[in-house]
């Protein structure tokens, strides 16, 4: 026999327990908020509701990273003349030292201040240079609208990890970069969207100052990720007069049920805990004109779109302006289609007009990507090597506010974070009979960590041991499904006369959730659950630290022996859970950490870091008080191996190769093979 045949089991089906737990928390919060929104009966009540929403949302993402107002420094690096319009190539600074690229399409017959539209791109690597976006700007400009289209950070000419020597990006652009730097923003208790939102607001500053733009007649539109940015501006930018969010608006629960993951800037801390939904972005814009544009075959569920528009429509009725909220569906896949572009053009012409006469058909083709490039090298970091990236902004904000560790404040913060949102009931420990197994005895058990969430574990005892035994509570990746990898450790503990409880924390070992949409566990399922927890003001780290504390509570309930002094042992990423649980529980026999993850400071200050399942070890906001390594209990019996610094990744145009895990050296099994 060997340990691979041992498994921790329960009498319950646990493959869906995290799904059901998270959905239940979201649903209950939304039921309360939906009732509150539906009860709004006056414009004044709506104004108070939306003011609270704006304040809560902005606080949740960390506020804006800079002031708004005044003309941002800018340079026109070139101008493309077309028969129907000109394209100005703009590089501006939304924040000091940060360079953003955009194109300003100016209709040829625009002679006095007129209507303008800010166009926000979705997750196309080419950003504003993407074929769809060039075509849509072409359509809007020919209709008589000035159009400013921006490269989002990490896209187009704004790759934040661009290596000028090789001409390649060291981190995959677009969603790859958003997730990579987004995790560092999350750790500080903020959200990547604050930077995108501020970029867009500074673009509005630029438009308001332009001699051919009427500041009272500015609209906004965008598709997919750009549609999400449009929703944020609708809630937080009062200078927007009309909006056309496209292929983005749905409902929180329909997106949850679809199983799809979203980008870092679409995961707003505490948003679900407060019960908010996409209808609240619409509510914050009422009674201004909105055209909600969607495609029927989208991965943003169309049923959620219809539901949220229906929920918001009565709010326009409070002003007698029901017709100002319109919705258009195109039977198409996920895309800002030509039909939706034509609808948006007429919508803006109606609500931001009058416009100059539209250009006669047929017009010329849209400009090429090369024709509208704003930089000489094609990348901001190629032209401006010292340009500041979001990584630098986030790192420097951390360093600027870093102070001496505030241990007591950090412990208070940690204790509140671990308890937040928990519905704790009886443990109701159940155990299987103790069984001989080679040189040892084993016993399986399971208990309720919180209502609806089971944890389980496997006790390994010295042969025929009874009475008072010292206990080691062991945490490592894979839990009871990875016993063989830790044979040497188990042999050491048992031969020292200790009992070892190997714990399966939520989502680990025998409690691994069923895969969402068939994707590998770490690529989508755990990624999704980590994001869902974040929207609930929670985290995998807080959830699993709570699990460890409940496992310690369960120890006295195991029959057949009397637990003695307890030591916490953590290996790999779960070493962080062991350390922080020990900081709260103060185990009498200390804590031992092996191959622990890097300190939070290292994660925040390293441009390149190992991002494998990094979301499972982030405890957002803790670094404001202390690093997690500052909280490791320091007393006899406590040991921790230093956190090794990850080497910088080689330059590549593909996603960075993840570091391979190092297998332990072979050792003789604790139990004999047959």
């Amino acid at each position: 026999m060997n340990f691979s045949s041992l498994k921790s089991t329960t009498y319950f089906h646990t493959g869906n327990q995290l799904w059901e737990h998270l959905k239940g928390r979201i649903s209950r919060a939304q039921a309360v908020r939906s009732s509150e929104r539906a009860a709004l009966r006056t414009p004044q009540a709506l104004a108070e509701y939306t003011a609270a929403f704006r304040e809560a949302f902005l606080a949740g993402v960390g506020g804006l990273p800079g002031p708004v107002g005044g003309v941002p420094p800018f340079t026109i690096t070139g101008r493309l003349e077309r028969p129907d319009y000109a394209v100005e190539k703009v590089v501006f600074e939304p924040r000091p030292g940060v360079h953003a690229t955009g194109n300003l399409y100016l209709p040829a017959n625009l002679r006095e201040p007129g209507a303008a539209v800010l166009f926000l791109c979705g997750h196309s690597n080419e950003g504003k240079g993407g074929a769809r976006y060039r075509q849509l700007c072409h359509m809007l400009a020919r209709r008589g609208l000035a159009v400013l289209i921006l490269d989002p950070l990490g896209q187009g000419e704004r790759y934040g990890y661009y290596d000028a020597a090789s001409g390649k990006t060291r981190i995959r652009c677009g969603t790859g970069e958003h997730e990579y730097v987004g995790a560092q923003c999350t750790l500080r208790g903020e959200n990547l969207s604050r930077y995108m939102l501020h970029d867009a607001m500074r673009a509005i500053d630029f438009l308001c100052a332009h001699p051919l733009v009427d500041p009272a007649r500015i609209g906004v539109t965008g598709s997919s990720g750009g549609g999400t940015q449009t929703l944020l501006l609708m809630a937080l930018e009062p200078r927007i007069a009309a909006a056309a969010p496209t292929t983005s608006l749905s409902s929180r629960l329909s997106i949850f049920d679809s199983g799809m993951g979203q980008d870092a800037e679409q995961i707003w801390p505490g948003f679900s805990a407060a019960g908010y939904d996409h209808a609240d972005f619409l509510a914050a814009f009422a009674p201004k004109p909105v055209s909600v544009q969607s495609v029927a075959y989208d991965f943003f569920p169309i049923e959620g779109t219809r539901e949220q528009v229906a929920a918001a429509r009565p709010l326009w009725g409070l002003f007698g302006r029901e017709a100002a909220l319109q919705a258009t569906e195109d039977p198409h896949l996920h895309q800002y289609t030509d039909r939706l572009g034509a609808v948006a053009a007429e919508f803006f012409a109606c609500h931001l007009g009058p416009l100059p006469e539209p250009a006669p058909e047929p017009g010329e083709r849209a400009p090429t990507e090369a024709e509208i490039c704003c930089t000489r090298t094609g990348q901001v970091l190629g032209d401006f090597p010292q340009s500041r990236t979001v990584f630098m902004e986030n790192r420097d904000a951390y360093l600027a506010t870093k102070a001496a560790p505030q241990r007591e404040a950090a412990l208070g913060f940690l204790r509140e974070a671990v308890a937040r949102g928990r519905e704790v009931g009886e443990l109701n420990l159940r155990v299987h009979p103790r069984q001989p197994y080679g040189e040892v005895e084993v016993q399986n058990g399971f208990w309720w960590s919180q209502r609806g969430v089971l944890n389980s574990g496997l006790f390994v005892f010295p042969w025929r041991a009874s009475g008072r035994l010292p206990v080691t509570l062991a945490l490592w990746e894979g839990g009871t499904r990875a016993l063989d990898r830790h044979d040497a450790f188990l042999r050491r503990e048992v031969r020292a006369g200790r009992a070892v409880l190997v714990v399966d924390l939520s989502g680990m070992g025998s409690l691994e959730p069923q895969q969402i949409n068939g994707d590998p566990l770490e690529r989508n399922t755990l990624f999704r659950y980590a994001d869902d927890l974040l929207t609930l003001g929670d985290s995998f780290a807080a959830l699993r630290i709570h699990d460890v504390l409940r496992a310690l509570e369960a120890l006295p309930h195991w029959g057949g022996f009397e637990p003695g002094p307890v030591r916490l042992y953590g290996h790999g990423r779960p070493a962080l859970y062991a350390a922080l649980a020990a900081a709260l529980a103060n185990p009498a026999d200390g804590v031992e950490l092996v191959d622990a993850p890097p300190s939070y400071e290292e994660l925040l200050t390293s441009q390149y870091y190992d991002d494998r399942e990094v979301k499972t070890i982030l405890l957002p906001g803790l670094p404001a008080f202390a690093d997690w390594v500052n909280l490791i209990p320091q007393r006899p019996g406590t040991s921790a191996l230093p956190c090794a610094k990850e080497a910088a990744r080689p330059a590549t145009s593909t996603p960075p190769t993840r570091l391979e895990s190092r297998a332990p050296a072979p050792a003789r099994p604790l139990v004999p093979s047959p």
Side-chain angles (χ1 to χ4, degrees), residues 54-63 189-191 193 267-271:
R54 290 186 187 96
E55 181 180 357
F57 183 89
L58 201 53
V61 301
E190 298 177 348
N191 184 260
S193 63
I267 306 301
W268 307 305
F271 187 80

Side-chain angles (χ1 to χ4, degrees), residues 1-6 435-440 442 463 484 487 669-674:
M1 292 185 296
N2 59 44
F3 276 129
S4 62
S5 64
L6 282 175
Q435 297 180 344
Y437 198 84
E439 300 175 25
V440 299
V442 297
W463 179 255
D484 279 350
D487 181 89
L670 178 62
V671 293
S673 299

Side-chain angles (χ1 to χ4, degrees), residues 186-190 413 417 534 538-539 541 600 618-623:
T186 295
L187 181 53
R188 289 194 58 237
E190 298 177 348
F413 175 89
L534 184 61
D538 204 347
S539 65
Y600 281 160
L618 304 181
L619 217 160
L622 182 61

Side-chain angles (χ1 to χ4, degrees), residues 74-108:
F74 71 93
T75 303
I76 305 299
T77 62
R79 182 180 172 98
L80 174 67
E81 297 287 352
R82 302 295 296 274
D84 301 331
Y85 54 83
V87 182
E88 292 185 343
K89 306 171 186 182
V90 184
V91 178
F92 72 98
E93 294 187 39
R95 294 170 296 286
V98 176
H99 294 85
T101 43
N103 295 140
L104 179 60
Y105 290 69
L106 293 169

Side-chain angles (χ1 to χ4, degrees), residues 472-477 486 489 492-493 500-501 503 505 508 548 567-582 590-597 628 632 639-641:
T472 301
L473 194 150
L475 310 169
W476 52 60
E477 296 290 349
H486 301 273
F489 163 79
R492 181 195 82 181
E493 295 294 288
V500 182
L501 176 59
V503 180
L505 305 174
M508 292 171 54
V548 178
R567 175 192 303 155
L568 284 172
Y569 173 84
H571 183 282
R573 283 183 290 269
L576 181 144
Y577 312 144
L580 295 183
V591 57
E592 181 181 358
L593 311 179
V594 178
D595 291 343
W628 77 267
I632 299 172
S639 65
L641 297 186

